[in-house]
Amino acid sequence: GTVGFQNNEISFGPYGDSFYEYQLKIWLQGDRKEDMYREMYDRSMDGMHHNQLQESNGLTFINFGHDRKRMDHLTCFMGGLLALGAWTDPKGFKSDRAQRDLKTARAMAYTCYQMYSTTPTGLAADIVQFNPNIIPYLREKAYKLRPETVESLFILNKITGDPIYREWGWEIFQSIEKYCRTDIAYGKVGDVYTIHAKAEDDMESFFLGETLKYLYLLFDPDSELDLEKYVFNTEAHPVRIK
């Protein structure tokens, strides 16, 4: 039989995020010896900058498929991935390519923070569109306790030392505490655009395994998780570099 693509949609969010993430992280976990994975990653980032990266009213985002105005919260992991790729670039952290990727990483993190800070609850909708500011995508107004934004804030803070990422993370954490916490757990919020939002009886396992873990690490000044020694897989498990 033959193998082919189902369609020509490109996504750095749903359906495709882990593919790009592991191009870089397999190379890192293997002590940077399997260069084909790093080369795949760099070609992918070149293509993303050329084809998918958009700007709207000063906000940088990576669009979903052919929809030039949509971005999913899942795509917010790219701020951290691009920063990690720049920091470990074989051409050097000061190279033009690394600095391009770091600039995009910072810009993506800012956009994802704005997805939170511009809503009445301080929580981000799962999918947004830029028209030209951040607005809900169709009826997607729920905050689902996802980790991608705080993951990027953790990695950027580790790499750059910029305290702004802790400040943004603290704001997000306070909103989670205010709107998502219940007597026994945390729950997603169905509509982030109303201050009367209530936590629902729905908490995904990734909230404990990823979102709270990255928030804890973001504020832990004594963490032993050195990014020179460990790489986080897509489920936020630290894996020792060979």
Side-chain angles (χ1 to χ4, degrees), residues 90-188:
K91 293 185 175 182
F93 192 40
K94 298 296 184 181
S95 68
D96 289 344
R97 183 174 68 186
Q99 289 302 299
R100 176 203 65 180
D101 289 357
L102 181 63
K103 180 181 178 181
T104 303
R106 285 182 174 273
M108 278 289 296
Y110 177 73
T111 297
C112 292
Y113 162 69
Q114 290 295 316
M115 288 169 60
Y116 286 80
S117 68
T118 55
T119 69
T121 57
L123 299 171
D126 204 49
I127 308 175
V128 299
Q129 59 181 331
F130 298 82
N131 196 29
N133 297 316
I134 299 171
I135 60 174
Y137 181 81
L138 302 178
R139 296 180 180 178
E140 292 287 349
K141 298 181 179 181
Y143 171 64
K144 299 183 179 180
L145 304 170
R146 293 199 189 277
E148 291 80 19
T149 295
V150 294
E151 172 187 355
S152 288
L153 299 182
F154 161 67
I155 294 173
L156 275 160
N157 178 258
K158 271 282 193 182
I159 289 173
T160 68
D162 190 336
I164 193 63
Y165 299 115
R166 279 182 170 165
E167 294 177 20
W168 294 350
W170 180 245
E171 290 180 29
I172 292 169
F173 176 69
Q174 287 180 306
S175 294
I176 292 171
E177 285 289 290
K178 182 175 182 179
Y179 290 101
C180 302
R181 187 169 182 169
T182 72
D183 291 339
I184 59 171
Y186 291 78
K188 74 176 186 181

Side-chain angles (χ1 to χ4, degrees), residues 166 219-225:
R166 279 182 170 165
F219 297 114
D220 180 13
D222 302 314
S223 172
E224 296 182 3
L225 287 172

Side-chain angles (χ1 to χ4, degrees), residues 41-51 97 100-101:
Y41 169 79
D42 288 323
R43 289 201 304 272
S44 295
M45 295 309 104
D46 287 345
M48 178 273 292
H49 278 93
H50 182 71
N51 297 302
R97 183 174 68 186
R100 176 203 65 180
D101 289 357

